[in-house]
Amino acid sequence: MATMISNFVRKTRTAFVLANETSRVLCLSNARTNSSFVGADAEGVNPQHPKILITGSLGQLGTGLAQVLRQKYGRNNVIMSDIIKPSQAVKESGPYLFADILEFKTLQEMIVTHDIDWIIHFSALLSAVGENNVPLAMRVNIEGLHNVLELARQYRLKLFVPSTIGAFGPDSPRNPTPDMCIQRPRTIYGVSKVHAELMGEYYYHKYGLDFRSLRFPGVISADTHAGGGTTDYAVAIFHEALKHGTFNCYLRPDTRMPMMYITDCLKSVAQFMEVPDSQMKLRTYNVTAMSFTPEELAEEVKKYVPNFTITYNPDGRQLIADSWPEVFDDQNARSDWGWNHEHDLQAMCKIIFNALMPLYK
Ligand SMILES: NC(=O)c1ccc[n+]([C@@H]2O[C@H](COP(=O)([O-])OP(=O)(O)OC[C@H]3O[C@@H](n4cnc5c(N)ncnc54)[C@H](O)[C@@H]3O)[C@@H](O)[C@H]2O)c1
């Protein structure tokens, strides 16, 4: 309680919150004055040490991003949260809290108690998982987004919500897919991400919310297992190649999709969060690093596992992949704020095999 009061006074936010089980009526005056602490900007946020909350942080991207941001802004300034139990390593790495994205009051309390400045909103059900549980995907991906949007508006937080190649659909140009084009996705995941892009931009224009979004391609990592997306084959293939020398791919050999190594993905978020508003011509940008097919990836894998074989048995994910971009156009991110990837297919495979080979031996 003492911490809450001191945070309340320090930032001179005045909040009168009336909430009940069925409806939330919030009257909140964000009377943030220029902060009294040195180095703070007009919003009272110290740009050197923003306090950051990551939702859904125990997934493929969150744990790595927490490490990157903790190196930049300090261990205790980055709070990881999720609804699952953290590993011992996560517990020892810095603050971790339970937070269900559907519980508005829990999130609100965390923001006030921990004096949060930025939210990185990673909680989501990914494409393949979402198609198998549409009602839950609607709740987590849409209701959850509404909660963070409202909280970010009311407490004047900077908000990052990732989008995806899945925000495009069969009517979008697929090679290349620019930032601005028709978006009619056919998955609940894609629909929820278009909704997030539009709602974030609406809040930006209507309330001045500092909403930022990057559309990621398939993100590939060695050390974390992927969370049920359509591009997951490009993570699983390395483990299967080393464990069994063979891989049964759920996509056709010629299915081209944009991809990115996780280090580049995390770097893009860290860099993008610091881009001055004046440099941003869009609130949502495409970012990518490469595009390849399962067949091309298999050829690269064979350089490390010479007897590797791959079979192809397309399942429901093929339909999703067929409606997504083949090549992503991220020229705007590159020219507006200097986005640049470091890893191509060869560099990525080298890093991943170097990391995994000792483990499987
Ligand atoms: N990984 C990719 O290839 C990729 C590509 C494009 C966009 N993205 C986006 O990046 C974000 C993170 O992706 P990821 O791959 O780490 O996903 P993930 O599925 O690995 O992790 C998502 C996390 O959300 C958590 N979560 C689920 N329900 C929740 C709830 N009710 N409250 C709080 N947390 C909940 C899960 O426990 C999980 O840890 C997602 O928004 C995703 O759409 C990821």
Side-chain angles (χ1 to χ4, degrees):
M1 179 56 84
T3 322
M4 283 177 71
I5 291 170
S6 79
N7 286 338
F8 182 85
V9 171
R10 184 166 73 80
K11 290 202 165 179
T12 58
R13 295 164 177 164
T14 312
F16 300 98
V17 181
L18 310 168
N20 62 36
E21 292 299 313
T22 49
S23 68
R24 277 185 235 110
V25 182
L26 287 124
C27 308
L28 198 112
S29 143
N30 289 299
R32 272 185 156 183
T33 59
N34 284 333
S35 171
S36 54
F37 62 94
V38 180
D41 69 10
E43 287 297 341
V45 178
N46 183 340
Q48 306 298 315
H49 302 287
K51 286 206 79 177
I52 305 167
L53 173 67
I54 308 179
T55 69
S57 71
L58 294 185
Q60 190 195 4
L61 307 190
T63 312
L65 186 69
Q67 273 172 20
V68 169
L69 296 178
R70 280 174 178 161
Q71 272 164 19
K72 246 173 124 85
Y73 303 117
R75 180 183 186 275
N76 293 329
N77 286 325
V78 179
I79 299 178
M80 296 176 72
S81 72
D82 208 303
I83 50 170
I84 49 183
K85 276 178 91 172
S87 65
Q88 194 56 30
V90 166
K91 278 195 258 179
E92 285 166 9
S93 69
Y96 175 84
L97 295 171
F98 172 89
D100 185 339
I101 203 65
L102 299 174
E103 291 177 8
F104 186 88
K105 293 281 283 178
T106 312
L107 297 170
Q108 187 179 30
E109 192 180 328
M110 280 169 68
I111 288 164
V112 173
T113 308
H114 297 280
D115 203 14
I116 297 300
D117 300 304
W118 298 1
I119 298 182
I120 310 282
H121 179 48
F122 273 175
S123 304
L125 260 56
L126 304 197
S127 55
V129 177
E131 286 311 288
N132 289 329
N133 195 341
V134 174
L136 186 63
M138 287 200 293
R139 293 203 68 206
V140 174
N141 295 10
I142 298 176
E143 251 182 83
L145 172 88
H146 292 173
N147 285 342
V148 292
L149 268 178
E150 258 310 287
L151 288 164
R153 175 182 78 80
Q154 289 164 4
Y155 292 95
R156 295 192 175 232
L157 313 179
K158 191 183 271 193
L159 175 62
F160 178 82
V161 181
S163 187
T164 158
I165 48 170
F168 296 96
D171 303 317
S172 312
R174 295 181 64 208
N175 188 349
T177 308
D179 283 303
M180 290 295 187
C181 63
I182 192 162
Q183 288 179 267
R184 285 289 182 280
R186 299 266 175 95
T187 60
I188 188 60
Y189 177 62
V191 170
S192 69
K193 290 295 186 179
V194 175
H195 178 72
E197 293 177 11
L198 293 176
M199 287 299 288
E201 288 174 22
Y202 174 75
Y203 269 56
Y204 166 74
H205 290 294
K206 186 162 176 80
Y207 303 116
L209 172 72
D210 191 344
F211 170 84
R212 296 167 186 231
S213 179
L214 294 176
R215 294 191 195 100
F216 298 138
V219 180
I220 304 171
S221 56
D223 55 348
T224 345
H225 290 282
T230 302
T231 53
D232 285 3
Y233 86 86
V235 175
I237 193 171
F238 298 103
H239 298 269
E240 294 303 307
L242 288 168
K243 263 194 285 185
H244 306 300
T246 184
F247 179 61
N248 184 20
C249 184
Y250 55 80
L251 296 177
R252 279 193 321 266
D254 60 348
T255 312
R256 184 171 300 283
M257 282 193 285
M259 302 277 181
M260 183 185 233
Y261 184 52
I262 190 161
T263 311
D264 280 329
C265 171
L266 304 179
K267 185 186 82 166
S268 73
V269 181
Q271 183 184 346
F272 187 50
M273 289 306 280
E274 293 207 338
V275 173
D277 215 62
S278 56
Q279 254 173 271
M280 289 173 52
K281 298 194 183 105
L282 302 169
R283 305 313 295 185
T284 305
Y285 284 93
N286 293 351
V287 285
T288 191
M290 58 191 116
S291 265
F292 56 76
T293 64
E295 204 169 28
E296 288 165 359
L297 180 57
E299 283 309 307
E300 206 54 39
V301 169
K302 278 184 198 162
K303 293 183 184 166
Y304 298 86
V305 185
N307 296 327
F308 175 68
T309 55
I310 183 164
T311 51
Y312 299 97
N313 283 299
D315 66 15
R317 287 169 280 189
Q318 183 67 54
L319 274 180
I320 299 178
D322 285 343
S323 72
W324 283 4
E326 294 180 0
V327 174
F328 225 22
D329 174 353
D330 61 358
Q331 281 313 309
N332 288 323
R334 289 173 194 265
S335 57
D336 288 0
W337 48 273
W339 158 244
N340 205 358
H341 69 279
E342 280 172 29
H343 302 89
D344 60 11
L345 178 59
Q346 288 72 27
M348 178 184 76
C349 288
K350 191 172 177 192
I351 295 176
I352 293 180
F353 277 110
N354 284 343
L356 293 182
M357 275 166 143
L359 301 181
Y360 285 106
K361 269 179 190 153

